[in-house]
Amino acid sequence: MIILFFITSTLASHIYPIFQIQTTQNFQLEYESGSLTVDLNSEMSYLSKVGNKIKCNSAPFGEQIKCQYCSPDCIVQDTQLISSEITLMDIFNQEESEPIIYINTNESEILGLGLQRGSKYPQNPFISNIFHICFGYTKGFISREFKNPNLSQLHYKANESNYQVDLRMIKINDEMIIDTSGNVTYVDSKEPFILLPENQYIMIRDYLQEYGVQEEGRYLIVKDKSKELPTIEMIFEQNEKIRLEKDTYSYRLVDGREIVTFYRSKINRIKLGLPFLTQQLITIDQNNQKLFITKYNCQDQFKQTQQNNPYLKHIVIPLILVLLIFYCILNQRAKSNVKKRQLEQQELVKLKEEEEEQI
């Protein structure tokens, strides 16, 4: 099972690295002529790239794209969709082409991974309703072919282009419970904080004072570093639990100060930003409106794989495949021998019964 998992996940194609930009904290996916900001709240992708123009009421993907299925934003330049391919570098530094539907723009380029409201076809590089994304501390990856153990399942509601989830409570050390039921909660890959409404923010701020955390200006600053920050547990519907370790919700500023990444929400909503997503493998299934989430080492998962790429491709992988084939052959032979012996025994029993009948 370990060998099969290694081949089908770590060595699968269509796995592309993403990188965090320090100034904005946003993650980006590089392609042949630029980089796209990963946005879980944008239903459309925007590229500064001219592709092939596909008219509405045509059938570029084998099924007719009718103009009525496009939102106003989807219709550009005389009711024409722009369809093309982008070239991405996978984890082995090999070029791969992926299809994408997008809007041409002169502004920020965006990889839209949000819900598809008006457009009939997904706009992401895989033109797929199911894909996987993993955010590390500064690195991660996006893929359409990956194995996710699916430890937690969160059902989301279709709210505009956002993934709205049902967060019931926040628990710290099994003693501090913050009731969050009734609040609109959604996931946001461009938000560097976890935003809480005023009441919930004050409760977590006051509780963290026991761990040497104080509010200074807009931020919660760790003043006493001798006290280890606690693990924070977020509990969703069906009692699904996501645990946040201290290294995912605390962050060191350029000036050396360490902050806790909870922040006041300007509106009465909860935003689960990057601290919630850090070191989590997330499978987004838009067909069934579910997020599958597993704790995962997104930061360094492919570091050794990339370093040993020639060795893996030319020695390890062929050797593993040969061993698997050899194992399958031996296993098949063993099964054949067992079956042969069973048939021989059956024949002997049959002959013995015939001899007894003759006597």
XYZ file of all heavy atoms in Angstrom, residues 129-174:
388
model
N -14.380 20.316 -11.649
C -15.128 20.653 -10.439
C -14.529 20.006 -9.197
O -15.008 20.219 -8.097
C -16.591 20.222 -10.580
C -17.370 21.141 -11.504
O -17.131 22.339 -11.528
N -18.286 20.582 -12.270
N -13.500 19.176 -9.389
C -12.826 18.530 -8.262
C -11.329 18.759 -8.414
O -10.741 18.413 -9.433
C -13.128 17.019 -8.209
C -14.630 16.766 -8.086
C -12.380 16.365 -7.053
C -15.006 15.304 -8.111
N -10.718 19.361 -7.402
C -9.280 19.592 -7.446
C -8.751 19.662 -6.016
O -9.520 19.720 -5.049
C -8.942 20.877 -8.217
C -9.720 22.088 -7.791
C -9.240 22.922 -6.802
C -10.949 22.374 -8.369
C -9.961 24.026 -6.392
C -11.679 23.489 -7.966
C -11.183 24.311 -6.984
N -7.443 19.652 -5.882
C -6.794 19.587 -4.579
C -5.819 20.752 -4.450
O -5.107 21.080 -5.401
C -6.035 18.264 -4.414
C -6.768 17.080 -4.946
N -7.692 16.382 -4.205
C -6.744 16.491 -6.169
C -8.193 15.400 -4.944
N -7.627 15.451 -6.138
N -5.769 21.330 -3.261
C -4.842 22.434 -3.021
C -4.295 22.312 -1.602
O -4.995 21.883 -0.679
C -5.524 23.804 -3.241
C -4.501 24.926 -3.234
C -6.652 24.057 -2.233
C -4.997 26.218 -3.838
N -3.006 22.650 -1.463
C -2.324 22.490 -0.184
C -1.507 23.742 0.096
O -0.642 24.117 -0.699
C -1.416 21.261 -0.256
S -1.089 20.454 1.326
N -1.781 24.414 1.218
C -1.075 25.636 1.599
C -0.091 25.324 2.719
O -0.495 24.904 3.799
C -2.058 26.709 2.084
C -3.030 27.187 1.036
C -4.294 26.620 0.929
C -2.685 28.204 0.158
C -5.189 27.058 -0.025
C -3.580 28.654 -0.810
C -4.829 28.079 -0.899
N 1.217 25.544 2.459
C 2.203 25.413 3.520
C 2.442 26.761 4.176
O 1.636 27.686 4.060
N 3.552 26.898 4.873
C 3.877 28.180 5.503
C 4.239 29.210 4.437
O 3.819 30.366 4.509
C 5.037 28.007 6.487
C 4.745 27.010 7.581
C 5.392 25.779 7.610
C 3.820 27.290 8.579
C 5.123 24.849 8.607
C 3.550 26.371 9.579
C 4.197 25.147 9.581
O 3.921 24.236 10.560
N 5.000 28.790 3.449
C 5.379 29.694 2.353
C 5.268 29.022 0.985
O 5.372 29.685 -0.041
C 6.831 30.189 2.516
O 7.715 29.058 2.569
C 6.972 31.011 3.793
N 5.070 27.707 0.982
C 4.977 26.948 -0.266
C 3.813 25.972 -0.173
O 3.291 25.710 0.900
C 6.282 26.182 -0.529
C 7.494 27.064 -0.742
C 8.730 26.234 -1.072
C 9.153 25.359 0.092
N 10.409 24.618 -0.196
N 3.452 25.427 -1.312
C 2.385 24.442 -1.348
C 2.261 23.892 -2.752
O 3.181 23.958 -3.557
N 1.079 23.343 -3.069
C 0.872 22.815 -4.412
C -0.620 22.750 -4.721
O -1.480 22.797 -3.844
C 1.515 21.428 -4.569
C 0.957 20.376 -3.647
C -0.160 19.621 -3.995
C 1.553 20.119 -2.424
C -0.666 18.636 -3.155
C 1.056 19.143 -1.564
C -0.061 18.404 -1.937
N -0.899 22.646 -6.020
C -2.267 22.477 -6.508
C -2.248 21.322 -7.501
O -1.267 21.133 -8.227
C -2.804 23.772 -7.154
C -4.251 23.592 -7.612
C -1.930 24.225 -8.314
C -4.903 24.876 -8.076
N -3.308 20.524 -7.515
C -3.296 19.322 -8.330
C -4.718 18.886 -8.666
O -5.669 19.243 -7.982
C -2.571 18.192 -7.587
O -2.708 16.966 -8.262
N -4.836 18.108 -9.722
C -6.113 17.453 -10.008
C -6.001 15.953 -9.781
O -6.980 15.227 -9.904
C -6.556 17.730 -11.440
C -5.650 17.200 -12.536
C -6.273 17.491 -13.880
N -5.315 17.437 -14.961
C -5.475 16.683 -16.043
N -6.527 15.918 -16.155
N -4.578 16.708 -17.002
N -4.772 15.476 -9.487
C -4.557 14.055 -9.254
C -3.743 13.888 -7.979
O -2.529 14.013 -7.987
C -3.811 13.426 -10.438
C -4.581 13.491 -11.743
C -3.770 12.941 -12.909
O -2.630 12.501 -12.669
O -4.277 12.976 -14.032
N -4.432 13.609 -6.887
C -3.731 13.434 -5.620
C -4.599 12.593 -4.696
O -5.829 12.607 -4.802
C -3.417 14.783 -4.972
C -2.225 14.744 -4.061
C -0.946 14.840 -4.579
C -2.368 14.585 -2.701
C 0.172 14.795 -3.761
C -1.273 14.537 -1.864
C 0.005 14.645 -2.399
N -3.957 11.867 -3.795
C -4.678 11.022 -2.846
C -4.870 11.771 -1.538
O -3.909 12.179 -0.912
C -3.920 9.710 -2.603
C -3.749 8.855 -3.850
C -5.085 8.359 -4.371
C -4.883 7.466 -5.585
N -6.164 7.013 -6.148
N -6.123 11.946 -1.134
C -6.436 12.631 0.117
C -7.139 11.651 1.047
O -8.197 11.118 0.694
C -7.336 13.843 -0.152
C -7.504 14.727 1.073
O -7.228 14.320 2.200
N -7.959 15.948 0.867
N -6.567 11.377 2.245
C -7.224 10.465 3.186
C -8.601 10.946 3.644
O -9.372 10.183 4.210
C -6.245 10.430 4.371
C -4.936 10.845 3.796
C -5.260 11.832 2.730
N -8.900 12.249 3.409
C -10.225 12.800 3.724
C -10.608 12.591 5.192
O -11.633 11.977 5.508
C -11.308 12.171 2.827
C -11.045 12.405 1.347
O -10.309 13.311 0.982
N -11.650 11.589 0.516
N -9.778 13.087 6.094
C -10.050 12.895 7.520
C -11.243 13.715 7.998
O -11.988 13.299 8.869
C -8.806 13.253 8.335
C -7.569 12.373 8.080
C -6.440 12.765 9.006
C -7.925 10.900 8.272
N -11.440 14.903 7.440
C -12.573 15.752 7.822
C -13.359 16.139 6.571
O -12.774 16.419 5.527
C -12.096 17.020 8.541
O -11.421 16.697 9.735
N -14.684 16.152 6.699
C -15.545 16.540 5.589
C -16.422 17.709 6.029
O -17.168 17.589 6.996
C -16.437 15.376 5.151
C -15.688 14.170 4.645
C -16.626 13.082 4.157
O -17.735 13.357 3.713
N -16.180 11.836 4.240
N -16.304 18.816 5.330
C -17.123 19.979 5.631
C -18.064 20.229 4.462
O -17.617 20.398 3.323
C -16.256 21.226 5.874
C -15.186 21.139 6.968
C -14.506 22.492 7.131
C -15.781 20.675 8.287
N -19.334 20.251 4.747
C -20.305 20.607 3.713
C -20.356 22.131 3.624
O -20.369 22.818 4.644
C -21.686 20.057 4.073
C -22.754 20.418 3.088
N -22.927 19.746 1.902
C -23.681 21.397 3.098
C -23.920 20.288 1.227
N -24.403 21.293 1.924
N -20.340 22.670 2.425
C -20.410 24.116 2.277
C -21.685 24.526 1.552
O -22.264 23.753 0.788
C -19.176 24.662 1.558
C -19.050 24.264 0.107
C -19.778 24.904 -0.896
C -18.171 23.250 -0.281
C -19.659 24.542 -2.222
C -18.045 22.884 -1.612
C -18.791 23.541 -2.579
O -18.674 23.177 -3.891
N -22.083 25.748 1.821
C -23.252 26.315 1.153
C -22.787 27.182 -0.012
O -21.736 27.816 0.047
C -24.073 27.163 2.136
C -24.641 26.384 3.300
C -25.400 27.303 4.248
C -25.934 26.529 5.452
N -26.634 27.429 6.403
N -23.589 27.196 -1.055
C -23.267 28.026 -2.215
C -23.694 29.456 -1.920
O -24.859 29.815 -2.046
C -23.973 27.498 -3.453
N -22.755 30.272 -1.469
C -23.025 31.668 -1.154
C -22.180 32.536 -2.072
O -20.993 32.718 -1.846
C -22.698 31.959 0.320
C -22.885 33.425 0.656
O -23.752 34.089 0.104
N -22.065 33.933 1.559
N -22.816 33.078 -3.129
C -22.083 33.806 -4.158
C -20.965 32.899 -4.664
O -21.213 31.774 -5.044
C -21.577 35.145 -3.598
C -22.698 36.072 -3.134
C -22.185 37.366 -2.543
O -20.990 37.463 -2.249
O -23.011 38.276 -2.392
N -19.733 33.370 -4.675
C -18.631 32.509 -5.132
C -17.824 31.971 -3.956
O -16.767 31.371 -4.141
C -17.712 33.291 -6.083
O -17.181 34.427 -5.423
N -18.319 32.165 -2.709
C -17.570 31.786 -1.509
C -17.951 30.384 -1.033
O -19.069 29.917 -1.236
C -17.843 32.782 -0.377
C -17.487 34.201 -0.753
O -16.466 34.443 -1.379
N -18.339 35.143 -0.398
N -17.001 29.735 -0.347
C -17.270 28.462 0.318
C -17.695 28.770 1.752
O -16.873 29.022 2.622
C -16.029 27.573 0.296
C -15.588 27.202 -1.105
C -14.518 27.852 -1.705
C -16.263 26.226 -1.830
C -14.111 27.526 -2.994
C -15.874 25.891 -3.118
C -14.794 26.543 -3.696
O -14.408 26.224 -4.972
N -18.996 28.752 1.993
C -19.533 29.082 3.309
C -19.732 27.799 4.110
O -20.448 26.890 3.693
C -20.865 29.830 3.173
C -21.463 30.243 4.517
C -22.772 30.998 4.350
O -22.934 31.748 3.392
N -23.702 30.798 5.260
N -19.108 27.722 5.274
C -19.161 26.526 6.109
C -19.858 26.843 7.432
O -20.039 28.001 7.804
C -17.742 25.974 6.372
C -17.130 25.460 5.077
C -16.849 27.040 6.995
N -20.229 25.792 8.141
C -20.992 25.939 9.384
C -20.064 25.724 10.583
O -19.898 24.604 11.071
C -22.149 24.936 9.401
C -23.085 25.147 10.587
O -22.856 26.097 11.363
O -24.048 24.372 10.742
N -19.435 26.807 11.050
C -18.567 26.748 12.221
C -19.425 26.911 13.473
O -20.056 27.945 13.669
C -17.503 27.851 12.155
C -16.544 27.977 13.346
C -15.709 26.718 13.499
C -15.638 29.196 13.186
N -19.429 25.883 14.336
C -20.291 25.895 15.524
C -19.612 26.538 16.742
O -20.237 27.269 17.492
C -20.724 24.470 15.873
C -21.497 23.761 14.760
C -22.836 24.421 14.518
N -23.570 23.833 13.427
C -24.354 22.749 13.529
N -24.478 22.125 14.693
N -25.009 22.293 12.472
N -18.321 26.239 16.939
C -17.639 26.785 18.117
C -16.134 26.725 17.950
O -15.612 26.001 17.105
C -18.049 26.031 19.386
C -17.595 24.598 19.431
S -18.106 23.754 20.966
C -19.872 23.627 20.683
N -15.444 27.528 18.760
C -13.982 27.498 18.862
C -13.635 27.078 20.287
O -14.125 27.664 21.254
C -13.372 28.879 18.547
C -13.740 29.307 17.122
C -11.852 28.839 18.709
C -13.296 30.719 16.777
N -12.794 26.065 20.411
C -12.476 25.511 21.727
C -10.971 25.585 21.970
O -10.172 25.295 21.084
C -12.947 24.062 21.820
C -12.771 23.438 23.210
C -13.144 21.971 23.204
C -14.626 21.762 22.993
N -14.983 20.320 23.176
N -10.596 25.991 23.183
C -9.186 26.053 23.575
C -9.006 25.274 24.869
O -9.654 25.568 25.880
C -8.707 27.506 23.780
C -9.042 28.362 22.545
C -7.203 27.540 24.049
C -8.691 29.824 22.713
N -8.127 24.266 24.828
C -7.817 23.467 26.031
C -9.047 22.834 26.671
O -9.077 22.605 27.883
C -7.097 24.329 27.077
C -5.712 24.739 26.616
O -5.112 24.075 25.769
N -5.209 25.835 27.150
N -10.066 22.556 25.899
C -11.289 21.925 26.406
C -11.956 22.726 27.528
O -12.763 22.189 28.289
C -10.997 20.501 26.929
C -10.648 19.564 25.794
O -11.214 19.725 24.691
O -9.816 18.672 26.008
